Amino acid sequence: MKKTSTRLADGRELIYYDLRDDTVRDAVDRRPLEPTVTTSEVRRDPLLGDAVAVASHRQGRTYHPPADECPLCPTRGEQLTEIPDSSYDVAVFENRFPSLAGDSGRCEVVCFTSDHDSSFAALTEEQARLVLDAWTDRTLELSHLPSVEQVFCFENRGAEIGVTLGHPHGQIYAYPFTTPRTALMLRSLAAHKDATGGENLFDAVLARELAGERVVLETAHWAAFVPYAAHWPYEVHLYPKRRVPDLLGLDEAARTEFPQVYLELLRRFDRIFDAGEGGEGTAGGPPTPYIAAWHQAPFGALEEFDGVVREDFALHLELFTIRRTSGKLKFLAGSESGMDVFINDVPPERAAQRLREVAS
């Protein structure tokens, strides 16, 4: 992998990640951009104890442009975009309309490929490995920023999720605090460790799932399963079998195997609702909308979580869709939105069975 860092016309950072070491990236951003002005502010909720980012400048962000005006495609002729070069393998840049900025953290866009009509599932294993390497490098670099406590790499895919740019891409949020979801995990981790005399909760969960009926696929270094208390109709958790706190901890064997496992999971997700034996939809229908979220240990202090250290946390990816059956979405209604109590329409055991049925 070759990494080249440069600047866009308004001063934002752009990083190219290339498969070839001899690739030269010297294209200049020719757009007449003014310096980016953001109004991001993090506010604490005194009752819930969580945080809300207030970012009014995002109202003006690019919204469903036609394909020939996509800002994530390479620059072609006078069609000037966020990527000044005429092609790229993987590109990462500071978001022009960030939810978090300055002392409130940082937001980046990760473009998985220059092919506008592709998807992560359509990448080659070599391309997917390059994305993994980019995620890992950004996690390392962002962890050094004084305002950053936790790094979150994720992908939203599909208009149903709220994606406003159709180009294959994800994002990275670098938070100035430990996120509420991670804090819940850390509290459960601490309580379990205390109650069992030191047993790791993540290890216990993984062992239980591997011995059960909700395993979707298992390889030498990775395990994917539908969790016992899945919140979403189709939800898969992907764990490296050797517990590590973040992407930086993955060894070469796990990194090499990851593209095979993850690409297979994404392709199965796109087949969940296809017609056929046991199918629930129409063959050749629209791609399955999903969210893919990496959970990494925070880099900040963990004193409030008694007895827990970073190495106790288990890196894992959570992949889920908001589609519950063909043509029907899972909406967060009263119980989910008002009380954070999810009601799942698809039994996790049935979801795991379906995901095994659609293996390639």
Side-chain angles (χ1 to χ4, degrees):
M1 178 188 77
K2 181 180 180 182
K3 174 183 175 182
T4 306
S5 179
T6 184
R7 293 282 171 178
L8 296 172
D10 56 7
R12 288 175 295 130
E13 187 177 16
L14 165 67
I15 309 106
Y16 294 100
Y17 293 90
D18 287 295
L19 292 168
R20 292 175 55 96
D21 290 337
D22 59 352
T23 303
V24 176
R25 298 295 183 188
D26 55 8
V28 175
D29 185 4
R30 294 181 281 130
R31 297 173 297 171
L33 298 180
E34 295 294 328
T36 302
V37 177
T38 62
T39 56
S40 178
E41 176 189 1
V42 174
R43 298 184 180 182
R44 291 280 179 179
D45 186 314
L47 295 180
L48 298 180
D50 60 8
V52 176
V54 180
S56 60
H57 62 275
R58 285 175 54 79
Q59 288 281 34
R61 65 188 184 273
T62 308
Y63 187 80
H64 292 299
D68 61 356
E69 296 179 14
C70 175
L72 307 186
C73 287
T75 289
R76 304 277 170 80
E78 294 308 307
Q79 182 57 44
L80 308 180
T81 73
E82 294 278 54
I83 319 293
D85 218 323
S86 60
S87 67
Y88 62 86
D89 292 334
V90 172
V92 179
F93 60 87
E94 289 184 75
N95 199 322
R96 190 177 178 188
F97 304 97
S99 302
L100 306 167
D103 292 339
S104 297
R106 175 159 156 154
C107 293
E108 298 182 341
V109 177
V110 183
C111 299
F112 303 141
T113 171
S114 60
D115 184 352
H116 181 86
D117 298 317
S118 187
S119 67
F120 202 119
L123 299 180
T124 65
E125 290 184 10
E126 185 180 36
Q127 289 174 309
R129 168 60 190 266
L130 184 61
V131 175
L132 175 63
D133 290 341
W135 282 331
T136 304
D137 181 72
R138 297 315 302 151
T139 296
L140 175 62
E141 294 295 327
L142 292 170
S143 71
H144 291 154
L145 296 180
S147 64
V148 171
E149 189 165 311
Q150 186 172 6
V151 178
F152 175 46
C153 307
F154 65 100
E155 180 192 3
N156 299 329
R157 203 276 286 268
E160 299 95 327
I161 297 293
V163 176
T164 57
L165 297 175
H167 195 102
H169 74 287
Q171 298 182 67
I172 301 175
Y173 276 23
Y175 298 101
F177 50 81
T178 296
T179 61
R181 189 174 178 87
T182 301
L184 285 174
M185 293 184 198
L186 291 169
R187 292 189 188 102
S188 296
L189 185 62
H192 186 85
K193 190 174 185 178
D194 180 64
T196 60
E199 182 182 59
N200 184 279
L201 179 58
F202 286 109
D203 293 350
V205 167
L206 181 58
R208 183 183 70 177
E209 294 292 0
L210 286 177
E213 59 181 316
R214 290 179 296 275
V215 175
V216 174
L217 74 94
E218 180 182 0
T219 62
H221 303 284
W222 293 88
F225 57 86
V226 177
Y228 170 74
H231 289 58
W232 299 94
Y234 290 92
E235 174 181 340
V236 173
H237 293 190
L238 176 63
Y239 278 68
K241 287 187 173 179
R242 183 179 68 86
R243 173 165 43 90
V244 295
D246 52 38
L247 290 165
L248 304 171
L250 291 174
D251 60 22
E252 184 56 32
R255 292 180 184 279
T256 299
E257 198 177 69
F258 170 77
Q260 308 162 29
V261 177
Y262 188 49
L263 292 174
E264 173 62 18
L265 280 179
L266 292 181
R267 290 161 186 167
R268 291 190 194 190
F269 256 59
D270 274 343
R271 292 193 291 266
I272 296 173
F273 304 104
D274 280 355
E277 185 176 353
E280 302 176 21
T282 303
T288 300
Y290 66 73
I291 293 175
W294 279 109
H295 291 266
Q296 306 192 79
F299 290 96
L302 300 178
E303 284 86 355
E304 64 179 291
F305 309 104
D306 293 340
V308 171
V309 296
R310 285 196 83 247
E311 289 69 26
D312 290 332
F313 194 88
L315 167 75
H316 62 284
L317 182 141
E318 297 184 7
L319 173 67
F320 59 90
T321 178
I322 63 170
R323 187 178 291 167
R324 57 187 175 88
T325 189
S326 181
K328 297 179 181 179
L329 301 180
K330 165 66 177 176
F331 292 101
L332 299 189
S335 185
E336 292 90 351
S337 295
M339 284 295 173
D340 282 345
V341 178
F342 276 66
I343 301 169
N344 193 347
D345 303 300
V346 180
E349 294 73 22
R350 169 57 188 148
Q353 178 185 353
R354 178 63 185 151
L355 285 162
R356 290 192 298 267
E357 289 172 351
V358 296
S360 58

